[in-house]
């Protein structure tokens, strides 16, 4: 936490220093509305807030400091679904970035990252004592390669090291005094969500071909857990491997602009490969590859903007996602039947998402904004306790946006 | 009237300020703003960096670098903006009146002011000419060499004549229309938007000439998202690009990490690591099965709350000791019943069976409940069914962790009445003490050995202290309703152990209360039939004893292991068995 405030202070001091030029950017977006959920039934008020502030400084012809501060908040009382189980989520983020233009071809950059995420699973929970509260500190460096064609295209590479800690999450078996034969679990396997992350990002911003453009963002993260013993078919065994996840995410977009119309096609692929397993003690079933999954999402969108973009704009979007919990060599998350006995198949989820949003500019850099989202999630997995893999969610919100 | 020259000078200055830089006579343009690298190439071939405010001659060319942009003031109140990596030339009008621009490569946008009759404004490329009548237009050369032209706004009709340089092939365009031309054919499109081309920020950072406004913010978000995405934009140049780049990078990170975080939470929910208890408090749960010794397996469940009346850790565990060392694949052994063929040796006797169970439960207040059950060896009952019997069933409660040995009444030191409960059942069945295997011919011949109707014989019940009873309840976490109360069917007698260690009868009022609160044996934990679609919360409510209830939230299947799913844990234990 001290590091978080240090970075904030550092950024603030830098922003107050004498500079060649100063360019503040600010966006505030506040929305409120209603959320209706089916299976289980839930109706409630919901609101979101976002604030982005970037007091950027051009320090020299080639160097600029871009301290980015963000506060993101979501609040909804729809409790027990996989997406909104966490009713209140507040993210504080500070990311000071220094960018240096080496030449026409290359930009170099380095950044620090401090993030604190506070979640409340429901309104009964205490502030800053949420199980999923975390603090993250990191830093990275990268480069941007620019290519001149008929339009500018860029390739952006970034490498980052981070540490994430969940102060309120514990693996309780460590405090139970129950130990494996010949081992002493002791203080190990206690903060079992903490990890070091080694992240690589690659972003392509392709050149325009007529009215076509494309972008592709690729993220890979190696998550090395610092305190999580891998659960084996013998339970937790000290001395065995610590958990390690390999997470990949690809987001590719193809856009076509015809006048005031913009049409987009999006492909998202996300996958996780972990050595983490689950030993379900109640049924003496060992499930290797429990945390492995691969999801593919195909989406399309249409945006219409009036009055040369200074007027209203609306967007319609639809997407279909398929997620398989398959691990290597036939492993993966098993289906559980309504009687909770395991079946042979693996969990598979299918989600349809429909999205509509609008923006209506008003005076003083204000705009009326709103969105309607409808999600239908289907799964071959049974509802397990608080886990509802199959549900439907309708959410409508409207609010104001200020953009400086 | 004579006008003061000072007034004339002021008016001239004001006019100049209103229209920006003035293009001197004989000059083609003035560079109003230069961003990044922009070269000026004179007709003779000399190249130098274009400076802000510099006037350009006819015949000059300007070429912008990859990060270069320039805003130009042209004659006749017109202006132009040149995109990065573009090149523009200024042709001498020679015999014609007007403005003649050559676009060698890249993109440029023009805002054309009013012209005198006969004045032309033309933008030409290698294969096309756009003869302008309108106000706001853009001309560019696409990657395939086609010339692109579009009209954003105009009060003229038509606004643009677009065609080949020879004038033999051309089309007219109005405001909101655009077309590409490859020298042979046109590709026309309607309802042109704010930028006409995807790369709407190619003039990013340049001043907005004229009344049509800056279009740099007009490009619709190419990645519309259900969540409002930050579209913080600088007003151009390197700093604006840096800001946009930082925001884009942040968005990419948030999108990627958000996806992973959601999956992490879903996994915790699906595997029963988190839940919500019946009071609405979030609970961290941990269910484990661990072999703690070669012949011992512990099934444990722990719950941790960060808020609520039961904040802290609550736990329960069942430690089972088997008759011999378990094999490496001990998980498979747990799935066997006494009568499973896989659990039979060559003589037809069970290979593995439990000889002792210790059930413990503790709450955050330090209360600790222990139930110890010792088993006989398997034997055939009167129905010739293979079964086990308990030879000792011992309940103990202590308000603090660290249970003293309470195996017999004699080992219990005098204690305060209100603090401890001690209950012990001891079987008097002589066979149960040693156990009789299924092949025991003597037992098969005389199943009622022990002198009673049951091979277990009669029980001796000794209660050393009392102040309440135990209810085992299962509560629907979502409705708050109590699903069932499990009570044992065997009878029991309670006494008060006085300070001298002597048993005293209970007062009548207390006895009547206890009649309604009978103990649940360990078999009561087998609650197959309870709605499994919900979390089941198990509360051990020992009125007057526990500082706090043991409020344990577990996945519904966890206690199945005590008597449901895992057959070896589900041997008949009640005294009515047999």
């Amino acid at each position: 936490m001290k590091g978080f405030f240090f970075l904030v202070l550092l950024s603030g001091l830098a922003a107050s220093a004498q500079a060649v030029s100063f360019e503040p950017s600010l966006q505030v977006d506040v929305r409120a509305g209603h959320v209706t959920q089916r299976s289980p039934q839930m109706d409630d008020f919901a609101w979101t807030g976002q604030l982005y502030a970037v007091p950027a400084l051009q320090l020299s012809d080639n160097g600029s400091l871009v301290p980015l501060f963000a506060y993101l908040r979501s609040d909804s009382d729809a409790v027990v679904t996989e997406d909104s189980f966490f009713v209140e989520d507040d993210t504080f983020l500070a990311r000071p970035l220094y960018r240096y233009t080496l030449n026409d071809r290359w930009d170099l950059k380095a950044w620090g990252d401090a993030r604190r995420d506070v979640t409340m699973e429901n309104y009964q929970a205490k502030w800053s004592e949420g199980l999923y509260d975390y603090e993250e500190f990191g830093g990275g460096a990268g480069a941007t390669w620019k290519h001149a064609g008929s339009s500018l295209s860029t390739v952006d590479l970034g490498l980052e090291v981070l540490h994430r800690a969940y102060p309120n999450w514990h693996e309780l078996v460590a405090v139970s005094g129950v130990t494996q034969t010949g081992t002493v679990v002791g203080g190990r396997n206690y903060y079992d969500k903490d990890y070091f992350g080694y992240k690589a990002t690659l972003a392509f911003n392709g050149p325009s071909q007529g009215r076509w453009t494309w972008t592709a963002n690729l993220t890979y993260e190696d998550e090395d857990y610092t305190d999580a013993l891998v659960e084996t078919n013998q339970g937790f065994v000290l001395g065995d491997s610590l958990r390690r996840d390999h997470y990949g995410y690809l987001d590719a977009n193809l856009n076509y602009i015809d006048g005031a119309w913009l049409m987009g096609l999006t492909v998202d692929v996300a996958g996780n490969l972990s050595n983490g397993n689950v030993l379900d003690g109640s049924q003496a079933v060992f499930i290797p590859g429990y945390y492995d999954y691969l999801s593919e999402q195909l989406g399309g969108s249409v945006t219409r903007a009036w009055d040369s973009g200074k007027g209203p704009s609306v967007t319609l979007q639809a997407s279909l996602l398929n997620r398989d919990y398959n691990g290597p060599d036939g492993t993966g998350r098993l289906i559980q039947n309504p009687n909770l006995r395991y079946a042979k198949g693996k969990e598979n989820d299918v989600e349809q998402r429909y999205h509509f949003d609008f923006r209506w500019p008003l005076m003083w850099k204000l705009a009326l904004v709103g969105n309607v989202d409808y999600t239908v999630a289907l799964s071959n997995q049974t509802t397990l306790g608080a886990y509802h893999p199959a549900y439907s969610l309708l959410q409508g919100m409207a609010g104001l946006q200020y953009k400086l | 009237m004579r006008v003061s020259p000072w007034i004339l000078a002021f008016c001239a200055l004001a006019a100049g300020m209103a229209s920006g830089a003035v293009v001197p006579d004989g000059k083609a343009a003035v560079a109003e703003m230069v961003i990044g690298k922009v070269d000026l190439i004179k007709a003779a071939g000399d190249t130098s960096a274009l400076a802000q405010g510099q006037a350009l001659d006819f015949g000059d060319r300007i070429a912008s670098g990859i990060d270069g942009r320039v805003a130009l003031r042209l004659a006749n109140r017109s202006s132009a903006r040149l995109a990065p990596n573009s090149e523009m030339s200024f042709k001498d009008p020679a015999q014609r009146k007007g403005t003649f621009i050559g676009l060698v490569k890249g993109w440029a946008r023009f805002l054309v002011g009013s012209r005198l009759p006969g004045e032309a404004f033309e933008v030409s490329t290698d294969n096309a000419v756009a003869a302008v009548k309108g106000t706001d237009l853009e001309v560019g050369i696409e990657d395939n060499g086609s010339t692109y032209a579009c009209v954003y706004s105009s009060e003229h009709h038509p606004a643009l004549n677009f065609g080949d340089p020879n004038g033999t092939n051309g089309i007219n365009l109005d405001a909101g229309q655009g077309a590409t031309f490859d020298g042979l054919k046109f590709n026309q499109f309607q309802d042109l938007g704010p930028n006409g081309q995807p790369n709407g920020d190619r003039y990013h950072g340049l001043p907005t000439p004229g009344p049509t406004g800056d279009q740099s913010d007009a490009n619709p978000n190419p990645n519309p998202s259900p969540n409002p995405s930050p579209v913080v934009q600088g007003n151009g140049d390197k700093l604006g690009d840096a800001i946009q780049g930082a925001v884009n990078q942040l968005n990419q990170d948030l999108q990627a990490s958000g996806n992973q975080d959601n999956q992490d939470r879903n996994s915790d929910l699906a595997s029963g690591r988190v839940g919500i208890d019946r009071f609405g408090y979030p609970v961290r749960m941990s269910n484990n099965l661990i072999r703690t010794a070669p012949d011992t397996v512990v099934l444990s469940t722990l719950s941790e709350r960060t808020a609520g009346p039961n904040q802290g850790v609550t736990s329960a565990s069942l430690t089972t000791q088997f008759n011999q060392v378990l094999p490496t694949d001990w998980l498979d052994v747990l799935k066997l019943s006494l009568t499973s063929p896989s659990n039979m040796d060559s003589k037809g006797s069970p290979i593995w069976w439990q000889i002792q169970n210790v059930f413990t439960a503790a709450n955050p207040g330090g209360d600790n409940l222990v139930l110890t059950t010792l088993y006989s060896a398997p034997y055939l009952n009167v129905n010739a069914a293979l079964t086990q019997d308990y030879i000792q069933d011992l309940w103990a409660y202590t308000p603090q962790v660290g249970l003293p040995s309470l195996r017999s009444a004699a080992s219990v030191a005098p204690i305060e009445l209100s603090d401890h409960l001690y209950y012990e059942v001891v079987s008097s069945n002589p066979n149960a003490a040693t156990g009789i295997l299924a092949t025991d011919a003597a037992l098969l011949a005389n199943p009622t050995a022990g002198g009673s109707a049951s091979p277990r014989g009669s029980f001796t019940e000794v209660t050393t202290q009392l102040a309440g009873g135990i209810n085992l309840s299962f509560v629907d976490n979502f409705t708050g309703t109590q699903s069932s109360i499990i009570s044992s069917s065997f009878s029991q007698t309670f006494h008060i152990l006085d300070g001298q260690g002597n048993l005293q009868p209970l007062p009548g009022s207390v006895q009547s209360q206890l009649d309604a609160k009978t103990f649940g044996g360990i078999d009561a934990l087998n609650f197959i039939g309870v709605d499994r679609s919900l979390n089941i919360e198990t509360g051990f409510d020992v009125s007057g004893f526990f500082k706090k209830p043991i409020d344990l939230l577990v996945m519904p299947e966890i206690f199945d292991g005590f008597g449901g799913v895992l057959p070896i844990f589900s041997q008949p234990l009640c005294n009515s068995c047999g």
Side-chain angles (χ1 to χ4, degrees):
Chain A
M1 196 60 196
K2 288 178 181 177
F4 177 80
F5 287 116
F6 175 74
L7 280 174
V8 172
L9 181 63
L10 184 66
S11 301
L13 287 174
S16 64
Q18 179 128 13
V20 173
S21 64
F22 173 62
E23 182 175 321
S25 292
L26 176 69
Q27 178 174 309
V28 181
D29 191 307
V30 180
R31 305 175 188 218
H34 189 85
V35 59
T36 297
Q37 178 182 290
R38 298 283 180 274
S39 179
Q41 178 70 40
M42 192 80 70
D43 287 274
D44 193 49
F45 171 82
W47 75 280
T48 63
Q50 295 187 335
L51 184 151
Y52 289 85
V54 190
L57 293 167
Q58 186 75 45
L59 300 175
S60 66
D61 286 345
N62 294 326
S64 54
L65 180 65
V66 185
L68 195 159
F69 304 98
Y71 168 62
L72 315 173
R73 180 187 181 88
S74 65
D75 192 329
S76 169
D77 197 23
V79 179
V80 191
T81 73
E82 57 177 330
D83 277 344
S84 52
F85 174 73
F86 300 85
V87 295
E88 220 173 273
D89 194 304
D90 296 74
T91 302
F92 305 89
L93 191 146
R95 175 177 285 189
L97 179 145
Y98 180 76
R99 191 165 106 159
Y100 184 81
T101 301
L102 195 64
N103 52 40
D104 286 351
R105 292 284 185 185
W106 290 95
D107 286 347
L108 305 177
K109 57 187 177 181
W111 66 91
D113 192 38
R115 188 182 307 186
R116 178 168 168 77
D117 197 277
V118 183
T119 60
M120 287 176 64
E121 289 79 1
N122 60 17
Y123 296 115
Q124 307 282 354
K126 285 184 180 177
W127 174 260
S128 79
E129 291 188 3
L131 292 169
Y132 287 88
D133 292 358
Y134 70 81
E135 295 170 354
E136 185 177 299
F137 298 98
T144 302
W145 180 72
K146 298 174 285 188
H147 174 66
S150 59
S151 62
L152 187 65
S153 57
T154 60
V155 179
D156 201 275
L157 173 67
L159 299 171
E160 184 174 354
V161 177
L162 60 91
H163 180 257
R164 182 182 286 199
Y166 292 80
N168 302 326
W169 179 280
H170 311 136
E171 172 45 63
L172 299 172
V173 70
V175 300
S176 70
V178 177
T179 59
Q180 176 72 17
T181 303
T183 67
V184 178
V185 174
R188 204 65 191 268
N189 205 33
Y190 187 61
Y191 291 109
D192 70 323
K193 273 195 184 298
D194 296 3
Y195 66 85
F196 275 106
Y198 305 95
K199 187 189 295 184
T201 57
L202 193 59
F204 297 92
N205 189 355
S208 59
Q209 302 286 337
R211 286 181 285 277
W212 294 92
T213 60
W214 63 274
T215 63
N217 301 315
L218 188 62
T219 300
Y220 164 75
E221 184 169 0
D222 178 354
E223 297 174 352
D224 285 2
Y225 286 77
T226 57
D227 201 33
L229 296 176
V230 171
E231 196 167 17
T232 70
N233 59 2
Q234 303 290 312
F236 291 108
V237 181
L238 189 66
D240 278 13
S241 304
L242 293 173
R243 182 176 164 181
R244 184 177 183 187
D245 283 23
H246 301 275
Y247 171 65
Y249 179 69
L250 169 67
D251 171 46
N253 301 279
L254 180 64
N255 300 304
Y256 179 83
I257 294 185
D258 187 356
W261 292 92
L262 182 145
M263 284 146 280
L265 188 65
T266 302
V267 175
D268 289 323
V269 179
N272 190 62
L273 187 63
S274 172
N275 63 351
N277 314 303
V278 165
L279 172 60
D280 186 339
S282 67
Q283 302 189 45
V285 173
F286 179 59
I287 311 172
Y290 191 88
Y291 299 101
D292 297 344
Y293 68 89
L294 180 65
S295 69
E296 313 90 21
Q297 178 174 268
L298 182 64
S301 66
V302 177
T303 298
R304 175 71 161 95
W306 281 271
D307 193 15
S308 299
K310 290 186 172 294
S313 63
V314 295
T315 296
L316 276 172
Q317 189 179 37
S319 64
L320 181 66
L321 179 144
N322 179 74
R323 187 185 300 114
D324 290 300
Y325 291 86
N326 289 324
D329 303 325
T331 61
R333 186 176 302 179
L334 297 172
I335 304 169
Q336 283 181 280
N337 293 323
N339 64 4
L340 299 177
R341 309 301 166 85
Y342 288 100
K344 284 187 177 178
K346 307 296 190 305
E347 181 176 343
N348 170 252
D349 301 340
V350 176
E351 296 175 7
Q352 303 170 53
R353 295 176 184 271
Y354 304 94
H355 168 76
F356 165 80
D357 71 47
F358 70 91
R359 186 175 187 274
W360 190 287
L362 304 172
M363 61 190 76
W364 303 322
K365 301 183 186 299
L366 288 170
L368 182 67
V369 292
N371 61 280
V372 177
D373 292 274
Y374 181 58
T375 303
V376 180
L378 304 173
S379 177
N380 60 358
Q381 183 65 283
T382 307
T383 293
L384 303 172
Y387 180 52
H388 287 251
Y391 64 95
S392 67
L393 191 71
L394 177 63
Q395 177 178 273
M397 306 184 86
L400 289 174
Q401 184 183 79
Y402 173 82
K403 191 162 66 173
L404 177 64
Chain B
M1 184 179 70
R2 185 180 179 184
V3 179
S4 165
W6 290 105
I7 294 177
L8 288 175
F10 177 79
C11 290
L13 181 61
M17 290 174 65
S19 60
V22 176
V23 180
D25 287 342
K27 296 293 184 181
V30 172
E32 285 192 312
M33 176 179 281
V34 179
I35 296 174
K37 178 177 169 44
V38 180
D39 288 335
L40 167 62
I41 307 165
K42 305 299 288 185
D46 300 334
T47 301
S48 59
L50 180 64
Q52 194 158 309
Q54 187 170 0
L56 304 172
D57 295 317
F58 293 108
D60 286 351
R61 286 184 292 146
I62 55 174
S64 56
I66 193 169
D67 61 344
R69 277 159 282 184
V70 59
L72 298 165
R73 173 63 57 184
L74 305 175
N76 302 323
R77 292 166 299 285
S78 298
S79 62
R81 288 179 285 175
L82 188 67
N85 201 37
S86 301
E87 187 172 335
M88 174 188 284
S89 65
F90 303 93
K91 298 179 179 177
D92 191 339
Q95 292 84 17
R96 299 175 62 192
K97 291 176 63 179
T99 302
F100 301 90
I101 304 291
L103 188 64
V104 181
K105 70 172 184 176
W107 293 80
R109 186 161 178 174
F110 302 91
L111 193 68
V112 182
S114 60
R115 281 161 291 130
L116 298 173
E119 258 188 351
F121 192 105
E122 290 183 4
V123 181
S124 60
T125 66
D126 283 346
N127 59 9
V129 172
V132 181
K133 298 175 183 177
T135 304
D136 185 4
L137 76 151
E138 185 170 36
V139 178
I141 301 172
E142 298 189 325
D143 286 347
N144 61 7
S146 295
T147 299
Y148 172 95
C150 65
V151 182
Y152 294 113
S153 64
S154 177
E155 297 173 352
H156 298 267
H157 174 72
L160 182 74
N161 182 268
F162 183 45
D164 64 25
N166 301 323
T168 56
N169 190 9
I171 58 173
N172 289 324
L173 300 175
D174 282 323
Q177 295 181 333
T180 58
F181 181 57
D182 62 3
L184 295 174
K185 62 180 184 298
F186 294 92
N187 180 19
Q188 191 171 350
F189 43 89
Q190 302 289 326
D191 200 11
L192 202 63
N195 289 308
Q197 284 291 302
N199 195 358
D201 63 348
R202 58 169 66 97
Y203 311 110
H204 201 62
L206 295 175
T208 305
T212 52
D214 185 9
Q215 309 297 339
S216 64
D217 190 33
N219 199 18
N221 179 9
N223 300 304
S225 164
N227 298 316
S229 60
V231 285
V232 178
Q233 292 188 359
N235 56 18
D237 64 31
K238 294 174 183 174
L239 191 53
D241 294 342
I243 294 172
Q244 192 59 55
V247 171
N248 290 342
Q249 184 180 346
L250 175 67
N251 280 338
Q252 183 183 345
D253 286 352
L254 289 176
Q255 197 170 9
S257 64
N259 190 314
Q260 181 76 330
D261 290 349
N262 278 340
Q263 283 305 310
D264 178 52
R265 294 170 178 180
N266 288 349
S267 295
D268 290 339
L269 286 166
S271 59
R273 300 178 86 195
V274 292
I276 299 288
D277 72 8
R278 67 182 186 279
F279 301 113
Y281 293 98
V283 187
R284 164 81 176 93
M285 298 178 289
S286 179
N287 304 321
N288 303 280
L289 183 62
I290 301 178
R291 189 170 66 143
T292 57
D295 63 347
T296 304
V297 172
V298 177
L299 178 63
S300 72
T301 178
L302 299 100
S303 300
E304 183 183 43
R305 294 168 175 81
T306 57
N310 298 316
Q311 180 177 346
V313 176
T314 300
S315 66
S317 67
L318 178 66
T319 302
T320 302
Q321 183 181 3
F322 290 84
N323 60 314
Q324 60 174 313
V325 172
L326 292 167
T328 304
D329 54 348
W330 54 274
L331 285 179
D332 293 334
V333 171
L334 302 185
K335 300 173 185 174
L336 303 176
S337 68
L338 277 179
T339 56
S340 296
S342 301
N343 195 26
M344 290 293 178
D345 61 16
S346 58
K347 297 178 180 177
S349 297
I351 302 171
W352 286 285
W353 66 85
Q354 55 190 340
I355 62 173
Q356 175 178 285
N357 266 338
V358 179
F359 174 77
T360 67
N363 64 19
D367 299 320
N368 196 331
L369 177 69
V370 176
L371 168 61
T372 303
T373 305
L374 303 179
Y375 295 94
S376 70
Y379 64 93
L380 291 175
N381 64 15
V382 292
N383 298 320
L386 194 61
T387 187
Q388 280 186 280
D389 193 10
Y390 57 77
I391 55 178
Q392 188 178 47
D393 194 7
L394 183 148
W395 290 72
Y397 160 76
T398 178
Q400 55 195 343
V401 178
L403 183 70
S405 174
L406 298 177
R407 286 297 176 87
S408 67
S411 65
V412 180
I415 48 180
E416 293 184 13
L417 281 177
S418 60
D419 280 346
H420 287 244
L421 170 70
Y422 175 54
Y423 171 63
E424 184 176 25
V425 178
V426 179
S427 171
S428 60
N429 176 13
N431 294 327
T434 54
I436 301 174
L437 296 181
T439 54
D440 191 313
L443 181 63
L444 289 172
N446 183 17
T448 59
S452 69
S454 163
R456 283 169 301 195
S458 59
F459 291 92
T460 300
E461 289 125 15
V462 179
T463 304
T464 58
Q465 189 172 328
L466 177 73
I470 293 179
N471 284 339
L472 198 58
S473 61
F474 306 101
V475 179
D476 183 329
N477 285 312
F478 294 93
T479 65
T481 57
Q482 191 169 262
S483 300
S484 61
I485 297 176
I486 307 298
S487 60
S488 172
S489 59
F490 61 86
S491 62
Q492 54 221 320
T493 303
F494 297 95
H495 301 275
I496 291 176
L497 180 68
D498 62 21
Q500 286 71 46
N502 301 316
L503 296 179
Q504 302 294 336
L506 288 174
S509 59
V510 175
Q511 183 64 61
S512 62
Q513 292 178 33
L514 290 173
D515 289 342
K517 293 183 176 182
T518 54
F519 283 94
I522 195 168
D523 54 314
L525 294 171
N526 179 3
F527 53 88
I528 293 175
V530 176
D531 185 357
R532 292 155 184 271
S533 66
L534 304 173
N535 285 331
I536 302 300
E537 192 154 2
T538 304
F540 297 92
D541 178 15
V542 184
S543 305
F545 275 97
F546 281 11
K547 295 173 184 174
K548 292 182 175 180
I550 295 177
D551 202 3
L552 187 66
L553 181 61
V554 297
M555 288 297 290
E557 69 268 30
I558 185 67
F559 271 119
D560 281 355
F562 288 95
V565 176
L566 298 182
I568 208 158
F569 289 146
S570 61
Q571 311 311 320
L573 297 171
C574 64
N575 68 345
S576 61
C577 297

